[in-house]
């Protein structure tokens, strides 16, 4: 029977069964409504339920309690793994002395916002094997325990916080103080399924692994397009799968599946990215549009336009995927991932970030070129243009969410957005947008363009700034304007190192010591270089940057070049979006010799 212990106010214990791994060794499962992380031992150590922004049920990743493990009992084995092509179906593979075992994991699709189904299928490829299973759900980031666990035929049922739990496939296991424990003995060619359901309502109907797997496979097949015509087609399809996995049925796409994974050990830079940034969503929509009018473009247009129509000038940089406000920052009583913290919520969601409007206008223009601009999005264009005209002089927090200043990138972003939308909308609206773009560009030139033709970082800062590559890559400057090439070269000279790119100069601190290389910047450097006509150098930036991932092919926000480690939350959506856009734009002809 289950453990009926009530939750209490004491900090949840660290899950000693799940010690941390380096970030590059984790894989992600996602179905659009939530995501999980799997470590090389087959332990799911992170899962929020029922949605991205809800409390974690498995929080071992950040030092809490709760996990779901399937791993060989033979400790003498080596690990490998791979994603099935064009999906986030992850297969862990363990080679022992006398056996080869695989465990196939997925969050079932189509997904529901109030119910998740986690699929795990074990199979012995060679020899015979024993596998150990342990399931210890701990809602509330580890603060609560499972209640009223009982075996109903072949299905375990229980309550976990406010969630109802069902588990198929472990009827011979036993539930105790440490959750459900059991072992499986499988012969060569034999397979065994586990199906875990967590729902806000009591589960009804059978849990049928065969049907659930077939539906999930079909959903991925329908969702991810063929990318064989792009540069790096396998990576491009994988990037698309990641973006699809992070995008809710509401249209909102979370920035990453996790919270509190450190950008730099013990630096205090650990943030919660389980929310939808409108800028990141626009980047993803633009990347998809570069390839074709695929459904993720429609998702981006819908979510971004809805938020602009509701909030107008007061549009926030980030929302929950349900369109609600992002909670303020707070801490949990957890140790955190090594070098990180236990922070949830995000204070940046209350900032004013002018470039959000610029990226949204570029997204709407890209949608219009594919005849995917909805009537609601057209209304959002008017609201966004009004907001830009009223607010472009205001200092803002900028792309990197720093202090409010007159950031050059933010102004060039809205110039680019106004120009792009002017190209696709008719009549007076087009003229108005074009004129506004010229007014903003003239003042930005006056304040932010140096006499030598290089763009300053901000009106009061001459330093190099990789954020400027974004509008330069999107053709903000008219043909023949030398400031784009001058600025690009300066950024490469001062912020590039060993083929990777950093965001900006931290005064008195060498590159690589203050923070890792910023992978978004490496891909935008490839795009800007390609836009300026240097295809060979663009390919070099693209190839170098796309190497900065782990075995699962996932990218974090930053890359520690010296230690070859991922830094920050995982997987970072805007990095995968920029990889996809590079793959679409650099495919114009074969790679240069």
């Amino acid at each position: 029977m289950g453990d009926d212990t009530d939750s209490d106010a004491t900090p949840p214990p660290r899950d000693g069964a799940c010690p941390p791994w380096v970030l590059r060794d984790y894989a992600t499962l996602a179905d659009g409504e939530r995501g999980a992380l799997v470590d090389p031992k087959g332990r799911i150590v992170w899962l929020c339920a029922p949605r991205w922004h809800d409390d974690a049920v498995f929080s071992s990743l950040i030092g809490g309690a709760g996990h779901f493990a399937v791993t060989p009992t033979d400790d003498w084995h080596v690990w490998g793994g791979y994603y099935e092509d064009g999906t986030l179906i992850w297969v862990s593979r363990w080679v022992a002395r006398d056996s080869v075992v695989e465990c196939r994991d997925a969050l079932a699709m189509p997904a529901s916002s109030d119910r998740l189904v986690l699929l795990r299928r074990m199979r012995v490829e060679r020899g015979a094997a024993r596998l150990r299973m342990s399931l210890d759900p701990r809602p509330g980031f580890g603060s609560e325990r499972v209640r009223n666990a009982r075996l109903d035929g072949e299905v375990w049922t229980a309550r976990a916080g406010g969630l109802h739990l069902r588990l198929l496939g472990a009827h011979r296991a036993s539930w105790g103080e440490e959750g459900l424990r059991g072992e499986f003995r499988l012969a060569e060619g034999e397979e065994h399924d586990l199906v875990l359901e967590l729902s806000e309502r009591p589960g009804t109907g059978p849990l049928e692994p065969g049907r659930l797997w077939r539906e999930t496979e079909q959903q991925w097949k329908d969702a991810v397009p063929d990318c064989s015509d792009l540069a790096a087609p396998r990576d491009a399809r994988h990037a698309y799968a990641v973006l699809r996995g992070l995008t809710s049925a509401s249209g909102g796409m979370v920035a990453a599946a996790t919270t509190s994974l450190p950008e730099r050990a013990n630096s205090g830079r650990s943030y919660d990215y389980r929310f939808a940034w409108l800028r990141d969503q626009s980047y993803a929509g633009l990347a998809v549009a570069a390839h074709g009018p695929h459904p993720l473009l429609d998702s981006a247009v819908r979510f971004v336009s809805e938020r602009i129509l509701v909030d107008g000038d007061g549009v926030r940089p980030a929302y929950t995927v349900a369109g609600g406000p992002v909670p303020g920052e707070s801490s949990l009583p957890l140790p955190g991932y090594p070098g990180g913290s236990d922070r949830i919520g995000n204070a940046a969601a209350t900032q004013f970030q002018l470039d959000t409007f610029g990226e949204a206008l570029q997204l709407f223009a890209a949608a219009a070129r594919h005849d995917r601009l909805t009537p609601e999005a057209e209304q959002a264009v008017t609201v966004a243009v009004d907001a830009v005209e009223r607010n472009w002089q205001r200092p803002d927090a900028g792309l990197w969410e720093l202090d409010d200043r007159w950031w050059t990138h933010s102004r060039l972003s809205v110039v680019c957005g106004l120009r792009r939308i002017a190209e696709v909308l008719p009549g007076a609206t087009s003229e108005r947008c074009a004129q506004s773009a010229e007014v903003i560009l003239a003042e930005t030139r006056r304040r932010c363009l140096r006499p030598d033709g290089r763009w300053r970082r901000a009106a009061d800062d001459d330093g190099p700034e990789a954020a400027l590559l974004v509008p330069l890559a999107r053709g903000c400057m008219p043909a023949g304007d030398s400031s784009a090439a001058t600025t690009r070269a300066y950024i490469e000279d001062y912020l590039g190192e060993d083929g990777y790119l950093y965001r900006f100069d931290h005064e008195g601190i060498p590159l690589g010591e203050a923070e890792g290389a910023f992978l978004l910047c490496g891909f935008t450097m490839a795009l800007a270089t390609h836009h300026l006509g240097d295809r060979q150098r663009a390919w070099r930036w693209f190839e170098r940057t796309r190497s900065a991932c782990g075995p699962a092919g996932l990218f974090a926000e930053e890359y520690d070049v010296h230690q070859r480690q991922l830094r920050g939350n995982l997987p970072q959506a805007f990095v995968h979006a920029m990889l996809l856009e590079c793959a679409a734009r650099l495919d114009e002809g074969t790679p240069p010799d």
Side-chain angles (χ1 to χ4, degrees), residues 305-525:
S305 61
E306 286 175 353
R307 304 283 68 76
I308 290 175
L309 287 174
V310 169
D311 290 336
D313 286 28
V315 75
R316 299 299 187 185
Y319 297 82
T320 69
V321 294
V326 172
E329 291 184 1
S330 61
S331 293
L332 301 166
L334 300 178
Y337 183 87
S341 67
D342 57 350
R343 183 179 301 178
I344 57 173
N346 200 300
T350 63
Q351 293 178 344
F352 170 60
Q353 297 174 16
L354 177 66
D355 66 304
T356 297
F357 292 107
E359 299 301 334
L361 288 171
Q362 293 174 65
L363 170 67
F364 297 149
R369 291 190 182 93
H370 285 295
D371 196 24
R372 312 294 280 200
L373 191 66
T374 63
E376 294 77 14
E378 285 196 55
Q379 295 174 30
V381 167
T382 301
V383 174
V385 172
D386 288 345
V388 167
E389 290 177 343
R390 285 192 290 263
N391 292 284
W392 69 270
Q393 289 275 26
R394 278 178 63 188
D396 75 302
L399 173 57
W400 309 134
E401 302 178 339
L402 304 173
D403 296 337
D404 285 352
R405 293 167 68 182
W406 226 78
W407 298 105
T408 309
H409 157 265
S410 297
R411 276 83 205 156
L412 295 184
S413 175
V414 296
V415 168
C416 192
L418 290 165
R419 284 180 166 170
R420 295 293 85 82
I421 206 69
E423 294 168 357
V424 297
L425 292 184
T429 301
S430 175
E431 293 177 9
R432 174 191 174 191
C433 291
Q435 290 171 2
S436 293
E438 291 310 309
V439 169
I440 297 170
L441 180 59
E443 180 62 10
T444 306
R445 281 185 180 277
R446 187 184 73 80
R447 298 180 64 170
C448 301
L449 188 66
R450 288 163 45 95
D452 61 1
R454 173 174 66 80
W455 289 102
R456 296 185 173 97
R457 185 181 184 213
D460 59 349
D461 189 338
D462 269 5
E465 173 56 84
L468 292 168
L469 294 169
V470 180
L472 300 185
R474 305 213 188 283
C476 178
M477 295 300 105
D481 189 318
S482 63
S483 65
T486 301
T487 303
R488 192 217 66 84
Y490 184 79
I491 293 169
E492 181 177 39
D493 288 345
Y494 284 86
L495 297 179
E497 184 177 80
D498 196 25
Y500 297 99
L501 200 69
Y502 295 83
R503 293 190 298 171
F504 49 82
D505 179 46
H506 292 263
E507 188 174 355
I509 305 175
L511 293 177
E513 290 189 14
E515 63 181 16
F518 219 74
L519 299 181
L520 172 78
C521 300
F523 286 127
T524 54
M525 174 62 85

Side-chain angles (χ1 to χ4, degrees), residues 148-353:
N148 304 326
R150 71 174 188 272
L151 186 61
D152 212 354
E154 295 189 354
V155 177
W156 283 99
T157 64
R159 292 293 302 275
L163 299 172
H164 297 265
L165 177 152
R166 291 198 296 167
L167 177 70
L168 173 72
H171 57 280
R172 291 177 180 163
S174 59
W175 209 302
E177 288 289 328
E178 296 181 348
L180 191 66
R181 299 288 187 272
E183 286 192 1
F184 303 96
R185 296 174 182 266
L186 301 178
E188 185 169 317
E190 191 175 1
E191 62 185 29
H192 185 83
D193 284 296
L194 295 169
V195 181
L196 173 66
E197 176 191 73
L198 292 170
S199 176
E200 291 185 326
R201 303 184 304 273
T204 59
L207 298 172
E208 302 173 345
R211 176 183 61 81
L212 291 165
W213 275 114
R214 288 191 298 273
E215 291 176 352
T216 300
E217 292 159 358
Q218 188 62 48
Q219 285 283 311
W220 281 113
K221 183 178 180 180
D222 294 343
V224 179
D226 176 38
C227 296
S228 59
D229 57 334
L230 303 187
R234 183 178 177 184
D235 282 0
R237 264 175 67 79
H238 186 43
Y240 198 103
V242 170
L243 297 177
R244 171 61 187 88
L246 298 179
T247 302
S248 167
S250 68
M253 179 194 74
V254 292
T258 56
T259 180
S260 302
L261 300 184
E263 297 176 5
R264 196 75 177 173
N266 304 312
S267 66
R269 296 205 308 273
S270 301
Y271 305 105
D272 190 350
Y273 282 1
R274 299 172 298 146
F275 308 107
W277 266 256
L278 299 191
R279 177 198 301 110
D280 297 14
Q281 187 100 51
S282 297
Y283 287 165
L286 286 164
V288 172
H291 185 220
H294 303 302
L296 282 186
L297 171 59
D298 298 331
S299 297
V301 169
R302 182 172 79 255
F303 190 80
V304 173
S305 61
E306 286 175 353
R307 304 283 68 76
I308 290 175
L309 287 174
V310 169
D311 290 336
D313 286 28
V315 75
R316 299 299 187 185
Y319 297 82
T320 69
V321 294
V326 172
E329 291 184 1
S330 61
S331 293
L332 301 166
L334 300 178
Y337 183 87
S341 67
D342 57 350
R343 183 179 301 178
I344 57 173
N346 200 300
T350 63
Q351 293 178 344
F352 170 60
Q353 297 174 16

